[in-house]
Amino acid sequence: IDASHTSAGYVTVSYTSSARLKVGIQYGNGKTAYRDCPSGTTSFALDQGNGTYTVSVCQNLSGTSYRVVASQTMRVTIDSANAPYLISTSEVPFAAGDAVTTKAAELCKNAKTDEAKVIAIYNYMASRYTYDNKLANEITSGKITKYIPDTAATLKGTTGICYDFSSLFAAMCRSQGIP
């Protein structure tokens, strides 16, 4: 758990495993929110603002049983309230120069305001994508148990589910500096 970017509104988790992983983020004494975590290195937003966070990496043992493999508590002061909503995360992945940021820049090149950028991205997505009922049914039936959107794959394709569309939309907006 790398807490060196907390002032920018996120922590980075690096863990490699063939087992299913979750990251738990607890703000203060509140409930812990668990998020699926891909194996490797991923950023997670600290979106509750300034305060104390406990971040835990959990590895699946079997079924719904997990064990904590690392945990860290940190006192966080975030430089900007919008900072957690401008970063790439496991659910909203993008990187400078990738296909997602390149397409967003292309769509927004003539937009003068954030509102115009949002409208350009929305219109592109609304005209291109259709809902993937088969994928949605596989997830809701439990046939697919681990699903994290792949923004690059969604961008390349023409179908997806709500999770895919919201992830791609957020990644494109964030890459344009829009939280």
Side-chain angles (χ1 to χ4, degrees):
I1 300 169
D2 177 358
S4 64
H5 302 286
T6 58
S7 64
Y10 69 96
V11 294
T12 303
V13 171
S14 296
Y15 193 78
T16 303
S17 174
S18 59
R20 185 174 184 179
L21 302 172
K22 289 193 178 279
V23 167
I25 300 177
Q26 180 183 22
Y27 177 71
N29 293 323
K31 287 180 67 174
T32 302
Y34 290 95
R35 297 181 176 101
D36 284 331
C37 179
S39 183
T41 301
T42 305
S43 296
F44 291 89
L46 302 173
D47 56 11
Q48 297 298 305
N50 298 335
T52 302
Y53 288 82
T54 300
V55 178
S56 303
V57 180
C58 307
Q59 182 181 31
N60 184 257
L61 298 174
S62 68
T64 58
S65 180
Y66 285 80
R67 71 179 175 105
V68 174
V69 294
S71 186
Q72 184 173 338
T73 299
M74 60 208 75
R75 178 86 182 132
V76 173
T77 302
I78 300 171
D79 293 339
S80 163
N82 287 333
Y85 308 106
L86 292 171
I87 62 165
S88 174
T89 65
S90 64
E91 297 170 324
V92 184
F94 65 96
D98 71 2
V100 172
T101 59
T102 300
K103 185 63 175 182
E106 174 191 318
L107 294 171
C108 298
K109 71 180 172 203
N110 296 321
K112 304 287 187 228
T113 65
D114 286 351
E115 180 181 10
K117 291 176 183 179
V118 169
I119 291 169
I121 294 167
Y122 172 83
N123 286 340
Y124 170 79
M125 292 187 65
S127 68
R128 177 175 173 87
Y129 298 102
T130 57
Y131 196 76
D132 187 339
N133 289 301
K134 180 178 181 269
L135 176 58
N137 289 336
E138 289 175 344
I139 292 170
T140 56
S141 72
K143 185 175 182 181
I144 295 175
T145 57
K146 181 179 175 183
Y147 190 80
I148 298 175
D150 178 340
T151 54
T154 303
L155 179 66
K156 192 182 240 184
T158 59
T159 64
I161 60 172
C162 300
Y163 198 10
D164 297 312
F165 303 146
S166 61
S167 177
L168 178 58
F169 183 81
M172 292 176 102
C173 287
R174 289 178 183 191
S175 76
Q176 291 293 302
I178 303 167

